[in-house]
Amino acid sequence: MKKNIAVFASGNGTNLQAIIDNIAAGRLKARIALVVSDQKGAFALKRAESAGINTLYVDPKGFVTKQDHERFIIERLKREKVELIVLAGYMRILSPFFIKKYKNRILNIHPALLPAFKGAHAIRDAYNYGVKVTGVTVHFVDNKVDHGPIILQGTVVVSAIESITKLEKRIHKLEHKLYSQAIAKALLGRLSVRGRRIIPGLRAV
Ligand code: GRF
């Protein structure tokens, strides 16, 4: 049976779209039970609606505390029987309270080879640094930003004459493939987290 996932997104949602497309093409065995956003106008919500996927827009300002906001989302995730949470450009930091409830069941994608170039401008930072190789990291989420155990990484060789726009396109193309592969791995439940290392063969989910 297909396992339920939730995708959290604040913006354009090209990663969400790639997951939708990969599921439709049979490349990823999963069901998106819910798309969650903190931005009312996020294009990701439109993509979800067009694909007939349930959406949940929650305005964080509507709650007294961060934990109240997160508890509201968790209630809905439970109702939808979500087994894995996929952060795809979700611009909020989840609290330790939330992360503990879904330990090793939250994935994030970062457009650089962690631990290099953490933060919101990773592609630009790596480009300006003059790296010859950069890439994409998919990792479990822990209590530090862009930090948890790494599930998959993919590399992109940067050409000396390449524009940043071209590099961005190539990184996003890799993201769209790699994220579904990492989700499949996590859903198969054959990942065991030992410290920072992920060892295949045992259960994570
Ligand atoms: C991606 O580059 C992802 O790595 C980062 O946020 C961006 C989201 O892009 N975490 P999109 O909304 O999926 O197009």
Side-chain angles (χ1 to χ4, degrees), residues 50-170:
S50 305
I53 297 166
N54 288 335
T55 59
L56 175 67
Y57 157 66
V58 201
D59 181 359
K61 291 193 206 91
F63 299 84
V64 178
T65 66
K66 188 177 173 95
Q67 219 177 85
D68 290 342
H69 170 232
E70 291 185 340
R71 206 173 281 125
F72 183 84
I73 297 174
I74 289 168
E75 283 308 311
R76 183 69 190 270
L77 295 174
K78 280 191 187 152
R79 227 185 306 146
E80 302 286 349
K81 298 191 171 27
V82 166
E83 297 194 40
L84 190 77
I85 295 166
V86 174
L87 306 184
Y90 188 61
M91 299 311 283
R92 304 191 70 77
I93 293 170
L94 298 171
S95 76
F97 161 77
F98 190 107
I99 292 165
K100 200 171 161 200
K101 295 247 183 255
Y102 287 89
K103 191 167 190 289
N104 295 333
R105 289 195 293 150
I106 309 172
L107 267 53
N108 184 44
I109 188 159
H110 184 74
L113 293 174
L114 290 173
F117 306 109
K118 294 177 178 180
H121 306 289
I123 302 176
R124 191 189 68 195
D125 292 346
Y127 183 84
N128 289 340
Y129 199 85
V131 297
K132 301 296 180 207
V133 180
T134 183
V136 171
T137 304
V138 181
H139 62 93
F140 281 124
V141 171
D142 67 7
N143 289 340
K144 292 184 195 161
V145 175
D146 297 334
H147 177 269
I150 293 170
I151 300 169
L152 277 182
Q153 285 185 310
T155 56
V156 169
V157 173
V158 187
S159 119
I161 52 160
E162 178 163 27
S163 70
I164 186 158
T165 314
K166 175 101 184 289
L167 177 64
E168 273 165 358
K169 273 198 189 132
R170 293 202 298 134

Side-chain angles (χ1 to χ4, degrees), residues 9-25:
S10 302
N12 187 357
T14 64
N15 278 283
L16 166 66
Q17 189 65 55
I19 295 165
I20 293 171
D21 295 346
N22 284 332
I23 290 174

